[in-house]
Amino acid sequence: MARWQPDARGRLERAAFELFVEQGFAATTVPQIAERAGLSTRTFFRHFADKRDALFAEEHAVPEQAARIIAEAPASLGPMQIVADGFDAVAAAQFSREKSYYIARHQIIQSDDGLRERQLRMPAALVDSLRRGFEERGTDPVDAMLAAHLTATVFSVSIGRWLSSPNSEPLAALLRDTFDRMRRTASS
Amino acid sequence: MARWQPDARGRLERAAFELFVEQGFAATTVPQIAERAGLSTRTFFRHFADKRDALFAEEHAVPEQAARIIAEAPASLGPMQIVADGFDAVAAAQFSREKSYYIARHQIIQSDDGLRERQLRMPAALVDSLRRGFEERGTDPVDAMLAAHLTATVFSVSIGRWLSSPNSEPLAALLRDTFDRMRRTASS
DNA sequence: ATTCTGATGACACATCATGTCATTACTGAC
DNA sequence: GTCAGTAATGACATGATGTGTCATCAGAAT
């Protein structure tokens, strides 16, 4: 038998999410989270840089998948062609929990300034990952940065549309539609 | 004679900037900033929500000017036309200090995770301001959001290019060039 | 004169975040 | 088998952050 209960990080994540739902983000303290997870406060800070981080444990998944897709794309394709072809794969692989979870999480984030700010790191990390991927294919740095920003915009706007209603269209359809509208807007 | 020295907020801003340059952001404490400004720690937190905020005192200027430009634009213009016409005015009104100041400030920000995250609020606030402005003109909400993101992208990328070298082209030229390249990238 | 207002100081306090050392189970070499 | 090494955790101390509350005092309003 292991000395400690397994999955300390996961227990902390779940305890934090539960407490944020029950009491709100600002009203829950790190010692409370640690206690519910059966761990010490110090251990919480070994797994997360701060209280907000417990809500962003999966933030690396999208940038990592994006980097893989770009690295594996045929050399003949330009950045925006790769992106257009990748939407379905990302939509299928990410956001695999129940939609109500993402909506609840979104509500927590919107309730707190610090969390809203923290969330801005997600599109920023996606831009970074995309830009690096495009640059490694030889794309001009400015063009790579622009393509990265345009792609992150499509994701941000699509996810916003997806979360705006429990009955919205599937994310993959929203990504394609937002991409088309982005192109039309850019050339208007 | 006034009871207190004037411009407490400005003195705090300058003291903070000096100390960040001298010692680095992480190594300077709020009591140090307050002492150099001749004020109490409590007064610092009356003017700024946190230590990082002292570096972002001017962050409202660009979104406010953007809102004004949109509100005053002829009703016949679409969002991207307003934006294309507004670059020169923004470049002329903002960033009026010595360029070395913005480069030094940029270096401080890049040196600290918390500051990098804090900086992400600037394009986010610009997106918000632009989106609201476009929506008030009757633009479809999704199109307004997309036009806002595209515009913020042009600003972010242009400012990045401008700060990347002390001898870069003037910001206004970079804005126009980045805008054109963004349009080409979007339709590639 | 009196009252009101607004900025500041002083103090207390909870929380956050980190440094440091001890503890304990698991691992692997011998 | 034993023993040293490693990794995760606990325990404790501490500096920094950020806020609530009340007092103080100059100038404005009346």
Side-chain angles (χ1 to χ4, degrees), chain B residues 1-3 28-31 42 45-46 49-51:
Chain B
M1 189 170 83
R3 172 175 183 201
T28 100
T29 67
V30 174
R42 189 66 184 86
F45 285 111
R46 287 204 181 86
D50 57 45
K51 198 172 70 172

Side-chain angles (χ1 to χ4, degrees), chain B residues 1 9-10 22 36 38 45 53-54 57 61 86-87 101-102 107 119 122 132 136 138 149 158 161 171 174-175 178 183:
Chain B
M1 189 170 83
R9 187 183 174 93
E22 293 169 17
R36 179 168 297 202
F45 285 111
D53 262 27
F87 287 141
Y101 164 77
Y102 297 103
Q107 279 179 347
Q119 190 171 39
M122 293 179 41
R132 266 197 295 270
E136 278 166 17
H149 268 101
S158 299
R161 294 173 71 185
L171 182 56
L174 288 168
L175 285 164
T178 304
R183 293 183 121 158

Side-chain angles (χ1 to χ4, degrees), chain B:
Chain B
M1 189 170 83
R3 172 175 183 201
W4 303 286
Q5 297 300 311
D7 194 23
R9 187 183 174 93
R11 276 184 293 145
L12 287 165
E13 276 174 40
R14 285 185 290 276
F17 187 86
E18 290 169 16
L19 286 164
F20 295 163
V21 169
E22 293 169 17
Q23 320 179 332
F25 175 80
T28 100
T29 67
V30 174
Q32 281 179 327
I33 299 168
E35 191 199 352
R36 179 168 297 202
L39 293 163
S40 69
T41 300
R42 189 66 184 86
T43 295
F44 177 91
F45 285 111
R46 287 204 181 86
H47 287 277
F48 303 101
D50 57 45
K51 198 172 70 172
R52 307 170 305 161
D53 262 27
L55 265 180
F56 292 88
E58 300 171 8
E59 67 181 344
H60 294 301
V62 171
E64 281 168 6
Q65 188 182 10
R68 278 197 306 276
I69 290 175
I70 293 172
E72 294 165 2
S76 60
L77 295 183
M80 298 312 281
Q81 295 171 303
I82 301 174
V83 167
D85 291 347
F87 287 141
D88 285 344
V90 175
Q94 316 288 155
F95 306 98
S96 52
R97 304 194 196 203
E98 293 213 352
K99 187 170 178 181
S100 61
Y101 164 77
Y102 297 103
I103 291 180
R105 180 173 172 280
H106 186 243
Q107 279 179 347
I108 297 170
I109 292 170
Q110 294 308 312
S111 75
D112 183 89
D113 278 349
L115 287 173
R116 276 204 298 272
E117 179 180 309
R118 177 64 179 78
Q119 190 171 39
L120 297 175
R121 276 169 46 183
M122 293 179 41
L126 178 57
V127 166
D128 255 34
S129 174
L130 293 163
R131 179 188 55 74
R132 266 197 295 270
F134 295 145
E135 278 194 15
E136 278 166 17
R137 298 167 62 87
T139 305
D140 168 87
V142 172
D143 293 334
M145 181 69 102
L146 286 167
H149 268 101
L150 296 182
T151 305
T153 289
V154 172
F155 272 91
S156 292
V157 174
S158 299
I159 294 171
R161 294 173 71 185
W162 185 63
L163 290 176
S164 68
S165 136
N167 308 317
S168 61
E169 291 184 59
L171 182 56
L174 288 168
L175 285 164
R176 286 190 296 267
D177 180 69
T178 304
F179 183 69
D180 291 339
R181 293 177 73 160
M182 183 275 286
R183 293 183 121 158
R184 278 199 297 275
T185 298
S187 53
S188 69

